[in-house]
Amino acid sequence: MTLREFFEEHPKAAIAFSGGVDSAYLLYAALKWGKDIVAYYVNSAFQPEFELEDAKKLAEQLHGQMRILPVDVLCEGAVTANGPDRCYHCKKQIFSRILEAAREDGFSLILDGTNASDDANDRPGMRALREMEVRSPLRECGLTKPEIRRLSREAGLFTWEKPAYACLATRIPTGEPITAEKLRRTEWAESYLAGLGLRDFRVRSLGDSAKLQLRQADIETVLSNRKEIAEKLKQHYSSVLLDLEARDEQ
């Protein structure tokens, strides 16, 4: 089945929209081949501000309707405890809100941007989607991440080259409680480093320390500016560490 065939068969749908590569292309395809489509962006402490701005920009570019749904993910103890199943509880909370809003708007079909490159095995978040009967057209149609980037570029979507971005909660080690302050300092640190031109990196929390995980191409930049960077980040961290194993670009 192609995406066009999927939306010809299911022209009315609500889309869980993050502003990332996958959900952006899914929204593009839905608006192109569907008839009644609304995007739902969940705004929480786990999403940095730039993700919301990208989502707004993309929805405007596509002339699509987008609803912003505030969700307090930190009110759920199973989420803030940050156990191995944190993502499951978080997805349940987020998609419960999307389902509620979508049903209010008359939608029964909920879609997300999981693609054929995503490993659905042993992923708590995927289990939550299955339980809530959320469908993933990109995955069902066999579209992989590289294909989605190529198709997005051909469609003129600015998201085609956007690096993969996991939520801010993933920067905190499993088992270490998640707090609003830890999330704020992570967003602040990553925003600062992005301003230096770094791409596709992570600032991991190790207690009160920050561990930088960078692409090979950015390690020299950071080393050349290490004193300035360390001084800046130590406004919120006790020390700054550099992971010498370069991140794979995604």
Side-chain angles (χ1 to χ4, degrees), residues 109-160:
L109 178 63
I110 313 298
L111 311 177
D112 92 309
T114 302
N115 66 61
S117 298
D118 293 324
D119 182 6
N121 296 322
D122 197 32
R123 288 185 62 176
M126 296 289 196
R127 177 161 56 93
L129 298 182
R130 288 194 297 270
E131 289 178 3
M132 304 182 82
E133 299 184 336
V134 175
R135 294 186 63 176
S136 305
L138 300 178
R139 185 178 184 81
E140 291 180 29
C141 295
L143 291 172
T144 62
K145 192 74 162 190
E147 290 174 301
I148 293 166
R149 288 192 183 279
R150 176 181 61 80
L151 292 168
S152 296
R153 185 176 186 177
E154 292 173 0
L157 306 182
F158 72 87
T159 51
W160 78 269

Side-chain angles (χ1 to χ4, degrees), residues 171-189:
R171 313 300 194 269
I172 301 171
T174 300
E176 180 181 325
I178 297 172
T179 66
E181 176 54 35
K182 291 175 184 177
L183 297 171
R184 281 194 294 266
R185 75 176 182 181
T186 300
E187 181 176 2
W188 171 84

Side-chain angles (χ1 to χ4, degrees), residues 164-228:
Y165 190 87
C167 82
L168 293 170
T170 62
R171 313 300 194 269
I172 301 171
T174 300
E176 180 181 325
I178 297 172
T179 66
E181 176 54 35
K182 291 175 184 177
L183 297 171
R184 281 194 294 266
R185 75 176 182 181
T186 300
E187 181 176 2
W188 171 84
E190 293 192 348
S191 177
Y192 164 69
L193 292 175
L196 299 180
L198 275 61
R199 284 174 50 85
D200 197 15
F201 63 91
R202 300 287 185 267
V203 178
R204 306 284 185 190
S205 289
L206 289 178
D208 287 330
S209 298
K211 182 171 77 169
L212 311 187
Q213 294 181 324
L214 313 170
R215 300 179 306 156
Q216 182 66 46
D218 289 330
I219 290 178
E220 284 298 326
T221 298
V222 168
L223 290 176
S224 299
N225 298 278
R226 61 187 177 84
K227 290 184 178 180
E228 174 191 335

Side-chain angles (χ1 to χ4, degrees), residues 36-52:
D36 188 358
I37 305 294
V38 176
Y40 295 82
Y41 180 93
V42 170
N43 192 21
S44 79
F46 286 177
Q47 275 66 49
E49 184 64 24
F50 80 82
E51 288 279 61
L52 175 56

Side-chain angles (χ1 to χ4, degrees), residues 75-126:
C75 75
E76 174 63 59
V79 173
T80 56
N82 199 21
D85 59 351
R86 182 208 73 240
C87 192
Y88 170 80
H89 295 289
C90 183
K91 289 283 190 186
K92 289 282 281 190
Q93 188 180 14
I94 286 173
F95 276 87
S96 290
R97 181 67 186 98
I98 293 175
L99 282 165
E100 177 185 29
R103 285 169 180 160
E104 290 173 356
D105 293 339
F107 293 97
S108 58
L109 178 63
I110 313 298
L111 311 177
D112 92 309
T114 302
N115 66 61
S117 298
D118 293 324
D119 182 6
N121 296 322
D122 197 32
R123 288 185 62 176
M126 296 289 196

